Amino acid sequence: MSETVLAIQRCNACGEAVFPARYRCPRCGAAQWSSEPTAGGAVEESTVVRHRVGAEGAGDVYLASVRTLAGPVVIARSETALCAGDAVALAIDDAMRVWARAR
Ligand SMILES: [Zn+2]
């Protein structure tokens, strides 16, 4: 499975950054966007999912809310436990899952 650096959308009219992409800007209502790669972010909160209905025995899933340097918060998976304050890089895979990796 391949990955690319996660991109956020920035409003061409007012500069508001959003993720996920939206049709209209929540700040000014414009609908023209530019895409820019995230430069990573910092973990705000994290958790681990140990029991999933229909996926018993599939292993733990680590999740974190990450405040990107551009502003939006994204929910990301991680291969390891992350702690609040950890600096991470963000990527998105072919299945549209966002991944956080400690830097
Ligand atoms: Zn705007």
Side-chain angles (χ1 to χ4, degrees), residues 10-17 24-33:
R10 189 172 296 281
C11 175
N12 289 348
C14 75
E16 179 82 351
R24 293 224 175 256
C25 174
R27 184 197 281 173
C28 75
Q32 298 295 316
W33 300 93

Side-chain angles (χ1 to χ4, degrees), residues 6-10 17-19 36-44 65-76 86 88-91 98 103:
L6 180 69
I8 56 116
Q9 307 303 119
R10 189 172 296 281
V18 301
F19 182 86
E36 63 183 59
T38 57
V43 173
E44 289 193 334
S65 60
V66 177
R67 172 77 61 184
T68 62
L69 295 176
V73 173
V74 303
I75 306 300
D86 285 351
V88 294
L90 294 165
V98 177
R103 297 200 287 186

Side-chain angles (χ1 to χ4, degrees), residues 4-102:
T4 57
V5 172
L6 180 69
I8 56 116
Q9 307 303 119
R10 189 172 296 281
C11 175
N12 289 348
C14 75
E16 179 82 351
V18 301
F19 182 86
R22 298 184 188 174
Y23 182 70
R24 293 224 175 256
C25 174
R27 184 197 281 173
C28 75
Q32 298 295 316
W33 300 93
S34 297
S35 181
E36 63 183 59
T38 57
V43 173
E44 289 193 334
E45 295 183 85
S46 62
T47 190
V48 58
V49 179
R50 299 189 190 284
H51 304 284
R52 291 182 287 159
V53 174
E56 292 81 6
D60 296 346
V61 175
Y62 299 96
L63 298 173
S65 60
V66 177
R67 172 77 61 184
T68 62
L69 295 176
V73 173
V74 303
I75 306 300
R77 287 177 170 227
S78 176
E79 290 157 346
T80 59
L82 296 169
C83 297
D86 285 351
V88 294
L90 294 165
I92 189 164
D93 69 16
D94 293 341
M96 305 303 285
R97 295 179 300 193
V98 177
W99 290 89
R101 294 196 175 86

